[in-house]
Amino acid sequence: MVEYRWRYQDEQGREVEGPAEVFADQTAAEDWFGGAWAELRDAGVARVTLLRDEAEVYGPMSLAPAE
């Protein structure tokens, strides 16, 4: 079974703790992230990468406000 999850990183690219949510498909993962990104940023997550099993789908994607 394929699983999607998010990898959380700090400004230096080190992995940090975050919600251990697992999703059945990319759409579900992205929908969840759409409602959680601000809370993740406030908790110190600087960027995220979407993983399909252990392969990167895309990222890292910054959570910093656009300038």
Side-chain angles (χ1 to χ4, degrees), residues 25-50:
D25 58 50
Q26 184 171 340
T27 300
E30 291 170 340
D31 286 348
W32 175 85
F33 179 75
W37 71 269
E39 188 174 318
L40 292 168
R41 184 190 63 208
D42 292 347
V45 175
R47 54 191 178 198
V48 296
T49 300
L50 181 61

Side-chain angles (χ1 to χ4, degrees), residues 5-44:
R5 66 181 179 85
W6 293 98
R7 177 191 305 145
Y8 311 103
Q9 295 175 307
D10 64 13
E11 286 289 342
Q12 290 74 39
R14 296 180 297 235
E15 287 195 35
V16 295
E17 292 293 318
E21 302 286 336
V22 177
F23 307 93
D25 58 50
Q26 184 171 340
T27 300
E30 291 170 340
D31 286 348
W32 175 85
F33 179 75
W37 71 269
E39 188 174 318
L40 292 168
R41 184 190 63 208
D42 292 347

